[in-house]
């Protein structure tokens, strides 16, 4: 079975540019999560969806960040405009609906904003 | 709010020996789930083991086992017969029964020496 697929694996861009990170969850999974990992703050949940509907976006740092899930097999996390402090590894994870089934993580996108 | 604390930033173990990684958490809930995730240098997040709080029996998964002390809010991971491939960052995580959000500790870096 294919796992969670994230693209790109690495992204380097200049400050002020728009960045779009992509995620394809495991087929049949109901939940999708976006996390950010930095040395200073560790792993933080940014937002999560249930059946394509955003449930909790309280972790989204500011209005420059937005996430969408137009269908069950695709989600995007967009940063516009990007800033150097957004540099981090961004993970997408998915899980089944049943109570607290383990989350399966993608390989992450390492984002560097110059 | 729930918190997860890993007080050991780094640990080391000799190959074939046993090592225990500590994790404590704070919650007022009675039903919840606890997890250990492994993150090797490839940065993929891999589920190691999972514990339901309502189960008194400690979870085991091959060479990995936990010591779950609910009253003390402690959830340590024991790795037996350590192997070089066990070298990684290990994250303890908490999930409430009512939500699907994972709250991570800051991680413990495990080194395995031949």
């Amino acid at each position: 079975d294919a796992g969670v697929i994230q693209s790109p694996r690495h992204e380097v861009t200049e400050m002020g540019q728009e960045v779009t990170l992509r995620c394809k969850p495991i087929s049949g999974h109901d939940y999708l999560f976006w996390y950010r990992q930095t040395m200073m703050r560790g792993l933080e949940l940014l937002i999560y969806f249930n059946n394509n509907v955003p449930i909790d976006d309280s972790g989204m740092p500011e209005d420059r960040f937005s996430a969408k899930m137009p269908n069950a097999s695709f989600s995007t996390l967009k940063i516009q405009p990007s800033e150097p402090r957004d540099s981090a590894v961004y993970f997408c994870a998915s899980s089944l609906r049943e109570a607290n089934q383990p989350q399966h993580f993608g390989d992450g996108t390492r984002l560097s904003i110059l | 709010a729930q918190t997860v604390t890993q007080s050991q930033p780094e640990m080391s173990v000799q190959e074939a020996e046993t090592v225990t990684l500590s994790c404590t958490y704070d919650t007022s809930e009675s039903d919840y789930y606890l997890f250990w995730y492994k993150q090797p240098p490839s940065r993929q997040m891999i589920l190691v083991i999972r514990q339901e709080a309502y189960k008194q029996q400690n979870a085991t998964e091959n060479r990995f086992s936990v010591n779950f002390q609910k009253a003390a809010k402690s959830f340590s991971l024991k790795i037996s017969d350590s192997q070089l491939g066990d070298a990684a960052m290990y994250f303890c995580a908490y999930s409430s029964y009512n939500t699907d959000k994972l709250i991570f500790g800051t991680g413990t870096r495990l080194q395995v020496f031949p």
Side-chain angles (χ1 to χ4, degrees), chain A residues 33-36 44-48 56-61 65 77 90-91:
Chain A
F33 306 82
W34 282 101
Y35 292 90
R36 178 172 68 175
E44 305 172 278
L45 176 67
L46 300 177
I47 184 171
Y48 79 97
D56 185 345
D57 65 354
S58 59
M60 295 286 263
F65 286 70
L77 178 67
Y90 291 81
F91 285 100

Short mmCIF file of all heavy atoms in Angstrom, two decimals, chain A residues 33-36 44-48 56-61 65 77 90-91:
data_model
loop_
_atom_site.label_atom_id
_atom_site.label_comp_id
_atom_site.label_asym_id
_atom_site.label_seq_id
_atom_site.Cartn_x
_atom_site.Cartn_y
_atom_site.Cartn_z
N PHE A 33 -3.77 15.57 8.69
CA PHE A 33 -3.12 16.50 9.63
C PHE A 33 -1.92 17.15 8.94
O PHE A 33 -1.20 16.51 8.19
CB PHE A 33 -2.61 15.75 10.86
CG PHE A 33 -3.64 14.92 11.57
CD1 PHE A 33 -3.97 13.65 11.12
CD2 PHE A 33 -4.28 15.40 12.71
CE1 PHE A 33 -4.91 12.88 11.76
CE2 PHE A 33 -5.23 14.62 13.37
CZ PHE A 33 -5.54 13.37 12.90
N TRP A 34 -1.71 18.41 9.26
CA TRP A 34 -0.49 19.12 8.87
C TRP A 34 0.27 19.51 10.14
O TRP A 34 -0.28 20.15 11.03
CB TRP A 34 -0.80 20.38 8.06
CG TRP A 34 -1.16 20.14 6.62
CD1 TRP A 34 -2.42 20.13 6.07
CD2 TRP A 34 -0.25 19.90 5.54
NE1 TRP A 34 -2.34 19.88 4.72
CE2 TRP A 34 -1.02 19.75 4.37
CE3 TRP A 34 1.14 19.78 5.45
CZ2 TRP A 34 -0.45 19.50 3.12
CZ3 TRP A 34 1.70 19.54 4.22
CH2 TRP A 34 0.91 19.39 3.07
N TYR A 35 1.57 19.13 10.18
CA TYR A 35 2.45 19.46 11.29
C TYR A 35 3.65 20.26 10.77
O TYR A 35 4.05 20.14 9.62
CB TYR A 35 2.99 18.20 11.97
CG TYR A 35 1.98 17.36 12.70
CD1 TYR A 35 1.29 16.35 12.05
CD2 TYR A 35 1.74 17.57 14.06
CE1 TYR A 35 0.37 15.57 12.72
CE2 TYR A 35 0.82 16.78 14.74
CZ TYR A 35 0.14 15.79 14.06
OH TYR A 35 -0.77 15.01 14.73
N ARG A 36 4.24 21.00 11.69
CA ARG A 36 5.48 21.71 11.39
C ARG A 36 6.51 21.30 12.44
O ARG A 36 6.19 21.25 13.64
CB ARG A 36 5.26 23.22 11.42
CG ARG A 36 6.51 24.04 11.17
CD ARG A 36 6.20 25.51 11.03
NE ARG A 36 5.74 26.13 12.25
CZ ARG A 36 5.50 27.43 12.36
NH1 ARG A 36 5.65 28.22 11.32
NH2 ARG A 36 5.08 27.92 13.50
N GLU A 44 4.61 20.64 15.88
CA GLU A 44 3.38 21.35 16.22
C GLU A 44 2.30 21.02 15.20
O GLU A 44 2.56 21.03 13.99
CB GLU A 44 3.59 22.87 16.13
CG GLU A 44 4.71 23.43 16.95
CD GLU A 44 4.90 24.90 16.59
OE1 GLU A 44 5.56 25.18 15.58
OE2 GLU A 44 4.37 25.75 17.33
N LEU A 45 1.10 20.78 15.70
CA LEU A 45 -0.04 20.59 14.80
C LEU A 45 -0.51 21.94 14.29
O LEU A 45 -0.75 22.85 15.08
CB LEU A 45 -1.17 19.89 15.54
CG LEU A 45 -2.45 19.69 14.75
CD1 LEU A 45 -2.24 18.71 13.59
CD2 LEU A 45 -3.58 19.21 15.65
N LEU A 46 -0.62 22.06 12.98
CA LEU A 46 -1.08 23.31 12.39
C LEU A 46 -2.60 23.28 12.18
O LEU A 46 -3.31 24.20 12.57
CB LEU A 46 -0.39 23.55 11.05
CG LEU A 46 1.14 23.66 11.10
CD1 LEU A 46 1.70 23.82 9.69
CD2 LEU A 46 1.56 24.82 11.98
N ILE A 47 -3.08 22.22 11.55
CA ILE A 47 -4.50 22.12 11.21
C ILE A 47 -4.81 20.66 10.93
O ILE A 47 -3.91 19.89 10.56
CB ILE A 47 -4.82 22.98 9.96
CG1 ILE A 47 -6.32 22.98 9.63
CG2 ILE A 47 -4.01 22.51 8.75
CD1 ILE A 47 -6.71 23.98 8.55
N TYR A 48 -6.09 20.28 11.15
CA TYR A 48 -6.47 18.95 10.70
C TYR A 48 -7.88 18.95 10.14
O TYR A 48 -8.70 19.80 10.49
CB TYR A 48 -6.24 17.89 11.77
CG TYR A 48 -7.25 17.76 12.88
CD1 TYR A 48 -8.27 16.80 12.81
CD2 TYR A 48 -7.14 18.52 14.03
CE1 TYR A 48 -9.15 16.63 13.85
CE2 TYR A 48 -8.03 18.36 15.08
CZ TYR A 48 -9.03 17.41 14.99
OH TYR A 48 -9.92 17.25 16.04
N ASP A 56 -9.90 21.87 13.18
CA ASP A 56 -9.18 22.69 14.15
C ASP A 56 -7.99 23.32 13.45
O ASP A 56 -7.08 22.62 13.03
CB ASP A 56 -8.71 21.83 15.32
CG ASP A 56 -8.06 22.64 16.44
OD1 ASP A 56 -7.70 23.82 16.21
OD2 ASP A 56 -7.90 22.11 17.54
N ASP A 57 -8.03 24.63 13.31
CA ASP A 57 -6.92 25.35 12.68
C ASP A 57 -6.23 26.27 13.68
O ASP A 57 -5.56 27.23 13.29
CB ASP A 57 -7.37 26.12 11.45
CG ASP A 57 -8.34 27.23 11.79
OD1 ASP A 57 -8.75 27.35 12.97
OD2 ASP A 57 -8.70 28.01 10.88
N SER A 58 -6.40 25.99 14.95
CA SER A 58 -5.86 26.88 15.98
C SER A 58 -4.33 26.91 15.98
O SER A 58 -3.73 27.84 16.53
CB SER A 58 -6.37 26.47 17.36
OG SER A 58 -5.99 25.14 17.65
N GLY A 59 -3.71 25.94 15.36
CA GLY A 59 -2.25 25.92 15.30
C GLY A 59 -1.66 26.68 14.13
O GLY A 59 -0.44 26.85 14.05
N MET A 60 -2.49 27.15 13.25
CA MET A 60 -1.99 27.91 12.09
C MET A 60 -1.41 29.22 12.61
O MET A 60 -2.12 30.01 13.26
CB MET A 60 -3.11 28.17 11.09
CG MET A 60 -3.65 26.89 10.48
SD MET A 60 -2.52 26.19 9.27
CE MET A 60 -3.23 26.85 7.77
N PRO A 61 -0.14 29.50 12.31
CA PRO A 61 0.54 30.61 12.97
C PRO A 61 -0.04 31.99 12.66
O PRO A 61 -0.10 32.83 13.52
CB PRO A 61 1.99 30.49 12.50
CG PRO A 61 2.00 29.49 11.41
CD PRO A 61 0.75 28.72 11.44
N PHE A 65 -0.70 31.70 6.39
CA PHE A 65 -0.84 30.26 6.20
C PHE A 65 -2.30 29.92 5.90
O PHE A 65 -3.21 30.42 6.56
CB PHE A 65 -0.42 29.51 7.46
CG PHE A 65 1.06 29.46 7.70
CD1 PHE A 65 1.76 30.61 8.06
CD2 PHE A 65 1.75 28.27 7.59
CE1 PHE A 65 3.13 30.56 8.28
CE2 PHE A 65 3.12 28.21 7.81
CZ PHE A 65 3.81 29.36 8.16
N LEU A 77 -1.03 22.99 1.67
CA LEU A 77 -0.71 23.99 2.69
C LEU A 77 0.04 25.10 1.97
O LEU A 77 1.07 24.86 1.34
CB LEU A 77 0.16 23.38 3.79
CG LEU A 77 0.62 24.33 4.90
CD1 LEU A 77 -0.58 24.80 5.73
CD2 LEU A 77 1.65 23.66 5.80
N TYR A 90 7.78 20.32 7.12
CA TYR A 90 6.32 20.24 7.21
C TYR A 90 5.89 18.80 6.90
O TYR A 90 6.22 18.26 5.86
CB TYR A 90 5.67 21.22 6.23
CG TYR A 90 5.89 22.66 6.65
CD1 TYR A 90 7.08 23.32 6.35
CD2 TYR A 90 4.90 23.34 7.35
CE1 TYR A 90 7.28 24.63 6.76
CE2 TYR A 90 5.10 24.65 7.76
CZ TYR A 90 6.29 25.29 7.46
OH TYR A 90 6.49 26.59 7.86
N PHE A 91 5.15 18.23 7.85
CA PHE A 91 4.67 16.86 7.70
C PHE A 91 3.17 16.85 7.48
O PHE A 91 2.43 17.62 8.08
CB PHE A 91 4.97 16.04 8.96
CG PHE A 91 6.40 15.64 9.12
CD1 PHE A 91 7.23 16.35 9.97
CD2 PHE A 91 6.91 14.55 8.43
CE1 PHE A 91 8.56 15.99 10.12
CE2 PHE A 91 8.24 14.18 8.58
CZ PHE A 91 9.06 14.91 9.43
#
